[in-house]
Amino acid sequence: MPTEIPPRHIRLTSHPGQSGGGAPAIRWGAPDAIERGPIVGTTTNRSQRNVIGTHSGSYGVYRALAVAAGSLTRGHRADLTNTSPTDAIGPYPQWGDAERIVSIDPWGAAVASVYEPYLEQGYDIRPTIAVTKAHIHLPEIRHAIAFQRLAADGRVLLSDASAVVTKVALEPVWWLPGVARRFAVSEADLRRALFEETGGMYPELVTRSDIEVFLPPIGGQTLYVFGDIRALADPSVTLTARVHDECNGSDVFGSDICTCRPYLTHAIEECIRGAQAGGVGLIAYSRKEGRALGEVTKFLVYNARKRQEGGDRADKYFLRTECVAGVQDMRFQELMPDVLHWLGIRRIHRLVSMSNDKYDAITGSGIEVGERVKIPDELVPADAKVEIEAKIAAGYFTDGSAPDDSRLASVKGREFE
Ligand SMILES: [Zn+2]
């Protein structure tokens, strides 16, 4: 039985001047961790908080549910024994540039060491980044070995066809002034839209302009690194990289209406090959399901595409999304390069992506890109021709010619069975 006495009233954090003065200041972009100040998103001791929102992205809602259901004690503090990163990352010069990284906390993996003085004083500081190691088994990689495109080397690729990786999970930490500048909007307009369009979920967005950091309730990112993660920051080491946006239907379930999993596994094969040749490979996977429109919207669009007059056609591909969602895409690649700068990356030798939005965001942020690697034609599922041709016509990278209007209109997808 919990012995904790429930509070008599709800403590609001939406008005200034009521905290105990124990919240550390955040100086975003300061090159030193202590000078920058820790991110304190705990709900345990509210006087220590210096952010809007809380940890774990969208999973914070499940934590609240667990508290409501009585299965989690309010104020539980994480025991972080033995949780430190398997590989040290940084600090890199990019960490000390406030405008270079605005959507993640560069010190988020190292809080236990760099904020030890705060932890000793009782501050509840949680990592927003975790670094671990794994072996990954993929049927496509076994296939690549069977067809002698890859061979086990006992280092990057083991004899059981598993690949050795370092993997990193990152939660979003938004510095609102920097995020606003990235989108060329005023901070006030950004705060107001975030407040109003989440149904008023975070009143501090509009009442606490003194709090500049927001932990948004959205999905984060996962990195898979092949080879030495520290080599990512060395522009003389050949880097093969793919920045991939989540597509549950294809990535996990093999749905054939798009190229997501075939392109992802092709990129992993390229990353392994590159790491075996003395380079390093990176997959940066963002939780932005269905162009960040969500899977319900995505499936509605599939229906609208398949049922429209003339069937599923490449020349109507973007129009059908826009009809349902109001926009063609909500992924907004503007924040995506932050994680590359966090890793110290200055040059991507081989970018395994055809997306012009991603290419423009990466190069526009100051990272050089060498070769762009398209998905091999034989890996494009028949029903995904609609998507890939529509994207090439809209500006995706190709080594062939972009389809003209008549060719685009002739690319058709399967009908519902
Ligand atoms: Zn997909």
Side-chain angles (χ1 to χ4, degrees):
M1 285 293 289
T3 53
E4 192 189 11
I5 300 164
R8 289 198 197 95
H9 39 251
I10 290 169
R11 288 165 294 186
L12 286 176
T13 54
S14 57
H15 298 281
Q18 62 181 17
S19 72
I26 296 173
R27 294 178 190 84
W28 194 268
D32 172 79
I34 290 289
E35 193 187 336
R36 205 294 304 275
I39 302 294
V40 188
T42 177
T43 54
T44 305
N45 186 339
R46 283 163 191 261
S47 69
Q48 298 175 350
R49 286 172 54 80
N50 58 10
V51 300
I52 300 164
T54 188
H55 290 294
S56 311
S58 56
Y59 298 105
V61 178
Y62 279 105
R63 196 171 56 239
L65 193 56
V67 169
S71 56
L72 174 63
T73 309
R74 286 195 75 201
H76 167 75
R77 260 185 96 153
D79 175 358
L80 297 174
T81 307
N82 291 333
T83 63
S84 63
T86 53
D87 295 79
I89 298 164
Y92 295 116
Q94 291 90 327
W95 295 19
D97 180 345
E99 301 295 334
R100 190 68 70 195
I101 300 173
V102 301
S103 63
I104 49 182
D105 174 10
W107 304 100
V111 297
S113 55
V114 298
Y115 295 122
E116 201 174 4
Y118 281 95
L119 293 164
E120 283 171 358
Q121 288 173 51
Y123 280 87
D124 183 12
I125 305 170
R126 292 262 306 273
T128 55
I129 301 175
V131 184
T132 188
K133 287 192 181 296
H135 289 186
I136 60 170
H137 291 260
L138 290 164
E140 287 87 346
I141 298 305
R142 282 202 296 276
H143 191 265
I145 293 170
F147 281 80
Q148 298 181 336
R149 298 198 305 270
L150 285 178
D153 65 345
R155 181 179 66 93
V156 180
L157 192 57
L158 306 182
S159 57
D160 68 354
S162 62
V164 178
V165 296
T166 299
K167 60 179 185 176
V168 183
L170 303 98
E171 288 173 9
V173 178
W174 287 9
W175 179 53
L176 293 170
V179 172
R181 276 192 286 279
R182 208 58 84 77
F183 288 90
V185 298
S186 75
E187 187 187 341
D189 286 347
L190 173 67
R191 284 172 175 266
R192 184 179 176 140
L194 288 170
F195 170 67
E196 291 182 342
E197 299 304 322
T198 56
M201 199 168 177
Y202 300 97
E204 299 124 300
L205 285 165
V206 287
T207 62
R208 294 292 304 269
S209 60
D210 59 313
I211 303 182
E212 294 187 332
V213 174
F214 176 43
L215 306 183
I218 59 173
Q221 290 172 282
T222 315
L223 312 177
Y224 284 82
V225 178
F226 304 79
D228 179 5
I229 196 165
R230 283 169 290 267
L232 291 167
D234 182 350
S236 72
V237 176
T238 301
L239 168 56
T240 303
R242 173 165 175 77
V243 283
H244 186 95
D245 293 323
E246 175 181 30
C247 172
N248 184 263
S250 172
D251 293 344
V252 179
F253 290 96
S255 177
D256 71 346
I257 197 170
C258 57
T259 57
C260 300
R261 181 177 173 104
Y263 212 173
L264 176 63
T265 54
H266 177 65
I268 291 170
E269 183 177 328
E270 292 288 339
C271 284
I272 291 170
R273 192 174 294 115
Q276 289 184 323
V280 60
L282 168 69
I283 304 289
Y285 190 97
S286 291
R287 296 264 139 49
K288 291 183 191 167
E289 176 60 54
R291 296 190 207 152
L293 302 167
E295 213 169 26
V296 169
T297 298
K298 180 163 145 175
F299 290 7
L300 295 174
V301 171
Y302 289 160
N303 282 350
R305 280 172 54 188
K306 299 282 184 189
R307 287 175 177 147
Q308 70 189 322
E309 203 181 319
D312 188 13
R313 307 154 50 181
D315 61 338
K316 303 289 183 199
Y317 172 79
F318 286 110
L319 182 64
R320 289 281 76 81
T321 305
E322 202 165 343
C323 286
V324 177
V327 294
Q328 293 180 358
D329 200 314
M330 278 191 205
R331 282 176 292 177
F332 297 116
Q333 301 297 342
E334 282 83 350
L335 301 176
M336 173 270 289
D338 284 19
V339 73
L340 307 176
H341 292 293
W342 177 68
L343 293 162
I345 291 171
R346 286 180 281 161
R347 178 172 174 80
I348 296 172
H349 303 71
R350 306 188 73 228
L351 178 65
V352 188
S353 170
M354 292 158 73
S355 165
N356 48 321
D357 289 338
K358 289 174 184 169
Y359 176 83
D360 292 346
I362 291 168
T363 55
S365 78
I367 294 171
E368 287 177 42
V369 172
E371 184 190 355
R372 297 165 78 180
V373 182
K374 69 190 276 281
I375 185 171
D377 292 338
E378 64 272 20
L379 293 184
V380 178
D383 201 40
K385 292 260 187 313
V386 170
E387 177 209 75
I388 203 78
E389 289 293 320
K391 286 180 170 177
I392 290 169
Y396 260 45
F397 171 74
T398 177
D399 52 10
S401 59
D404 60 16
D405 289 351
S406 66
R407 188 173 122 202
L408 206 56
S410 71
V411 179
K412 300 248 170 89
R414 196 177 54 231
E415 290 173 23
F416 282 132
E417 297 76 41

